[in-house]
Amino acid sequence: GESVGLHLPTLSVQEGDNSIINCAYSNSASDYFIWYKQESGKGPQFIIDIRSNMDKRQGQRVTVLLNKTVKHLSLQIAATQPGDSAVYFCAENRDSGNTPLVFGKGTRLSVIA
Amino acid sequence: GAVVSQHPSWVICKSGTSVKIECRSLDFQATTMFWYRQFPKKSLMLMATSNEGSKATYEQGVEKDKFLINHASLTLSTLTVTSAHPEDSSFYICSAPAGITNYGYTFGSGTRLTVV
């Protein structure tokens, strides 16, 4: 569960560099994972998802890697742009569909122009 | 497709008053709605799950008499914060399973509640 009192970790990257955001999940039974981007004052925006029968999935400029052995998820953003600055959350779910997502702590990405 | 419209986007209310937040599914039927609360610089925490036509299920530590949830139709779920206090000030977000590949969950745009 969420640890009360901790602030979001921050990742600062230069524009054009690649970003890697990491997430550790807790439930070994989780079989569906999603990365969300959240800008200030807005709801989460879907980026990419992956199911537990895969270890890698690519989208446009983004790649998600899943390591079930160590329960680790990462989001790679290629050629990071200023518009990528936001808070990124991983979310996990078991029996995707009518059960709620459980969100990770989040990472703030700051892109330096 | 699979849009959830959440209103209001922000609200300021006095202590002791009640505030209602609405989430409507615009182009699909939402039999289930998840309600989250997010404090500044923190993650989304699940408050409750509402199901159309039945009582909501609340997470541990969430007062059901304070956070009233109604899901009377397949397109509308509401969260009412009763007798609001400053510590209830937060960002409230609803989410529904949209049942669409690659977009399994759709989120409302959130409601910023400030209790003064």
Side-chain angles (χ1 to χ4, degrees):
Chain A
E2 177 75 5
S3 298
V4 176
L6 291 179
H7 293 293
L8 293 172
T10 299
L11 173 66
S12 297
V13 298
Q14 290 283 8
E15 181 179 359
D17 288 352
N18 297 333
S19 303
I20 300 177
I21 301 171
N22 297 303
C23 176
Y25 64 93
S26 57
N27 190 349
S28 57
S30 293
D31 58 6
Y32 182 55
F33 305 88
I34 310 176
W35 278 101
Y36 286 95
K37 173 184 180 182
Q38 187 181 30
E39 296 174 293
S40 181
K42 297 183 180 179
Q45 174 188 352
F46 174 93
I47 300 174
I48 191 168
D49 62 355
I50 189 168
R51 298 196 180 275
S52 59
N53 61 351
M54 303 174 69
D55 53 20
K56 180 180 180 179
R57 190 155 188 244
Q58 288 183 294
Q60 187 175 13
R61 277 204 310 123
V62 294
T63 301
V64 55
L65 299 177
L66 174 63
N67 186 329
K68 296 181 288 294
T69 303
V70 295
K71 293 188 288 187
H72 183 268
L73 197 67
S74 70
L75 175 69
Q76 300 177 4
I77 304 174
T80 313
Q81 301 168 2
D84 294 328
S85 294
V87 177
Y88 290 81
F89 293 98
C90 65
E92 62 183 291
N93 177 251
R94 182 181 180 191
D95 300 329
S96 62
N98 288 326
T99 56
L101 291 171
V102 176
F103 284 81
K105 294 181 173 60
T107 297
R108 179 176 299 281
L109 175 65
S110 292
V111 181
I112 304 167
Chain B
V3 175
V4 170
S5 177
Q6 183 171 349
H7 293 282
S9 56
W10 62 270
V11 57
I12 301 173
C13 71
K14 292 183 177 180
S15 289
T17 61
S18 296
V19 173
K20 179 186 284 187
I21 301 169
E22 294 188 347
C23 281
R24 295 180 183 273
S25 57
L26 299 185
D27 47 6
F28 69 103
Q29 293 183 330
T31 56
T32 300
M33 191 73 74
F34 304 117
W35 287 93
Y36 293 86
R37 177 169 54 185
Q38 185 178 30
F39 291 109
K41 299 184 180 181
K42 294 294 172 63
S43 188
L44 284 75
M45 295 295 291
L46 181 68
M47 297 176 65
T49 300
S50 71
N51 293 290
E52 186 269 335
S54 62
K55 290 184 178 180
T57 303
Y58 291 81
E59 296 300 297
Q60 190 173 7
V62 178
E63 300 176 58
K64 61 181 181 181
D65 294 330
K66 181 170 186 60
F67 299 100
L68 300 179
I69 290 175
N70 184 281
H71 196 149
S73 78
L74 289 172
T75 60
L76 176 63
S77 177
T78 63
L79 167 66
T80 301
V81 183
T82 63
S83 186
H85 290 106
E87 57 264 31
D88 298 324
S89 298
S90 188
F91 193 56
Y92 294 86
I93 308 171
C94 59
S95 172
I100 299 172
T101 302
N102 292 342
Y103 293 90
Y105 297 81
T106 187
F107 285 82
S109 54
T111 298
R112 170 75 59 195
L113 171 63
T114 301
V115 184
V116 297

